[in-house]
Amino acid sequence: MATGLARASVRHRRGGFLAGFLSVFLGAAILMAFASMLDTAGGPGVHGTDRTTLTIMAMVVGGWGAIVVASAVGTTLAVASRQRAAELALLRSLGATPGQAVRLVVGEVALVGAAGALLAIPFGYGGGYGLLRILQDTDQVHHGIGYRFGTAALAVGAGGCLLAALAAAWITARRTAHRRVRDAQLDAAGGGHRTSRFRLVAGVVLVLAGANCAVLTATVVDGKQLQSQSVAGEGAILSSIGFALLAPVILRAAVAVLGPLLETLGAGGQLGVLGVRRRLQRAATPMMPIVVCTAISVGTLYMQAIWNSAHPVMNADDKSTATLNYVVVGMLAVFAAVMLVNLIVADTSARHREFAQLRLTGATPRQILRLVGAETVLTLVTGVLFGSLAALLSIVPYSLAVTDKAVPDTSPGIYVAVVAGVAVLTLAAGLGSARRTTRVPATAVLRGAVAS
């Protein structure tokens, strides 16, 4: 019965599941590309440094990529499941058991996730082939090595992303389904205010782990070794994921600080601040890709720029590592950018009924756009600020290790370009989605919501 309901729900709510589908699709494609290096390393005639290089690429770079991708996939599917809180509460009030509600949500995610993982296989294959060619063109792997795509790519890429999606859906749905019906309905209406203790502890631990990597880079790591970038890079990755987990707490503090400033912009700013306070958990969700994309992109690109300026004459290994850094940043940045747009569009589109009610009470479409704009700016500024802080946990200690200077002699253009790109994507996604929502007559929206 649950499987049949899951199929019907997916057909009825195609738009709501698009974000989950794309997150699994892109995540699986990226992870399969890196994991296929393990299949290639185990192929015939691969020995010595070639096998070592391929294995390191899969285990180290692909390993950190897996953490970022799994976190993003889990967050996206958790958001999709959390948006069902009101529906699950209604099902409970009609007699459905918590187990039936959980199986319904997990069944939906299984259908959507399996489709995304399967369709990602040819793209993962092509990405892995292109990655091997880059390794060969930069003379890190011999040209005679043939590309292999097999068990490791499918298990780590497709299996890992699907597992992350199912785990996130199960945890979120179980937490919602086992609450009292009245509490679940009130929480769904308010957008969620509670942050779990596990999330708070995990966030603090990851931020401290990132700070520890920064200390090790500045005091222990040999700055003359190019491999020191991996230790410094862990500072940005760990701390950015930690800040992402702490996003609701951070955003609450940001509202207290920046809210009065936004409220001076008029009714749109005032409604935006009230909206963020009312739906803190959902409003904080897009902060994850903002923080992670800013931290990884700025941190990695500046570390590479520091190394380039300190070693103007680079050997083959230096050039190869630089190329791979740009490839990795590019792949993860694209993934984070798509997740950012996905999360913002999914969240804004899910508010069509709220916007319709505001319009029927006298709000104009322009005021709705100002409301969304104020919320988006608040989230954007907070996310960029803490993404920049996470990046500094890599940049400053790495600069000290390589050049003995806390402030590197590099152009601020890298930072400006990354922040500008994140800002354009965030504002375009939020305002564009809100504009499409307000074009539909408010009465038609409410009639459709009642009918569904």
Side-chain angles (χ1 to χ4, degrees):
M1 178 179 178
T3 304
L5 286 174
R7 285 200 211 95
S9 181
V10 171
R11 286 194 298 267
H12 179 64
R13 304 173 69 250
R14 291 186 182 91
F17 289 100
L18 180 60
F21 169 81
L22 287 177
S23 67
V24 175
F25 172 79
L26 288 171
I30 291 174
L31 292 187
M32 282 190 282
F34 282 109
S36 66
M37 297 300 98
L38 285 177
D39 294 314
T40 304
V46 182
H47 305 288
T49 57
D50 290 336
R51 175 171 291 180
T52 301
T53 300
L54 292 169
T55 302
I56 290 176
M57 174 60 62
M59 300 297 292
V60 178
V61 180
W64 284 116
I67 293 175
V68 174
V69 168
S71 300
V73 170
T75 299
T76 304
L77 269 300
V79 170
S81 300
R82 195 160 58 232
Q83 289 176 347
R84 309 289 307 284
E87 181 181 337
L88 294 181
L90 178 60
L91 289 175
R92 291 284 315 284
S93 67
L94 294 176
T97 65
Q100 289 174 326
V102 172
R103 286 194 295 272
L104 170 64
V105 174
V106 173
E108 294 170 355
V109 172
L111 291 173
V112 175
L118 288 174
L119 291 176
I121 291 176
F123 295 89
Y125 182 96
Y129 180 79
L131 186 57
L132 177 62
R133 291 298 302 269
I134 291 174
L135 291 172
Q136 292 172 335
D137 292 341
T138 54
D139 297 323
Q140 295 189 76
V141 173
H142 288 96
H143 285 269
I145 293 177
Y147 177 59
R148 292 173 67 91
F149 185 93
T151 305
L154 294 174
V156 174
C161 275
L162 187 57
L163 182 62
L166 292 174
W170 181 79
I171 292 172
T172 307
R174 188 175 184 274
R175 186 167 57 241
T176 302
H178 282 80
R179 298 183 64 188
R180 291 188 303 176
V181 174
R182 181 175 179 275
D183 292 342
Q185 289 173 332
L186 290 175
D187 192 57
H193 294 277
R194 299 175 56 187
T195 303
S196 68
R197 183 177 301 176
F198 173 80
R199 179 172 178 171
L200 292 175
V201 172
V204 172
V205 169
L206 286 172
V207 171
L208 293 177
N212 181 63
C213 291
V215 173
L216 290 176
T217 302
T219 60
V220 178
V221 172
D222 184 1
K224 296 180 181 179
Q225 297 289 329
L226 192 59
Q227 290 79 2
S228 60
Q229 284 190 14
S230 62
V231 179
E234 292 175 9
I237 296 172
L238 290 172
S239 57
S240 66
I241 296 176
F243 287 139
L245 291 175
L246 297 172
V249 177
I250 293 172
L251 189 58
R252 182 183 289 113
V255 171
V257 175
L258 299 177
L261 178 62
L262 288 175
E263 288 175 345
T264 62
L265 300 179
Q270 294 169 1
L271 289 174
V273 173
L274 289 174
V276 172
R277 286 175 178 158
R278 183 177 62 84
R279 43 190 301 280
L280 196 63
Q281 294 286 342
R282 293 181 184 176
T285 300
M287 273 184 60
M288 179 186 178
I290 293 174
V291 172
V292 173
C293 184
T294 302
I296 294 179
S297 300
V298 172
T300 305
L301 293 176
Y302 265 101
M303 285 193 296
Q304 187 59 55
I306 291 169
W307 181 266
N308 293 346
S309 62
H311 303 81
V313 180
M314 295 192 295
N315 57 34
D317 289 340
D318 295 341
K319 295 178 180 179
S320 300
T321 303
T323 301
L324 290 176
N325 277 337
Y326 298 141
V327 171
V328 171
V329 168
M331 294 180 72
L332 292 180
V334 169
F335 176 76
V338 174
M339 289 303 96
L340 172 62
V341 173
N342 253 348
L343 288 171
I344 293 176
V345 170
D347 181 63
T348 307
S349 299
R351 301 173 65 188
H352 62 285
R353 183 173 182 177
E354 173 192 343
F355 295 157
Q357 290 172 335
L358 287 174
R359 289 160 61 194
L360 289 177
T361 58
T364 65
R366 179 169 294 183
Q367 289 174 325
I368 299 294
L369 291 179
R370 289 176 180 172
L371 180 156
V372 174
E375 294 178 351
T376 304
V377 167
L378 186 58
T379 303
L380 172 64
V381 171
T382 308
V384 168
L385 176 62
F386 281 86
S388 302
L389 179 58
L392 287 176
L393 290 178
S394 289
I395 297 170
V396 173
Y398 186 73
S399 181
L400 286 171
V402 175
T403 66
D404 294 325
K405 297 179 180 179
V407 180
D409 296 327
T410 53
S411 170
I414 296 174
Y415 180 75
V416 172
V418 171
V419 172
V422 172
V424 169
L425 281 174
T426 304
L427 292 171
L431 296 177
S433 180
R435 186 182 296 275
R436 286 193 299 272
T437 302
T438 56
R439 286 177 178 173
V440 181
T443 53
V445 172
L446 293 179
R447 282 200 302 270
V450 172
S452 61

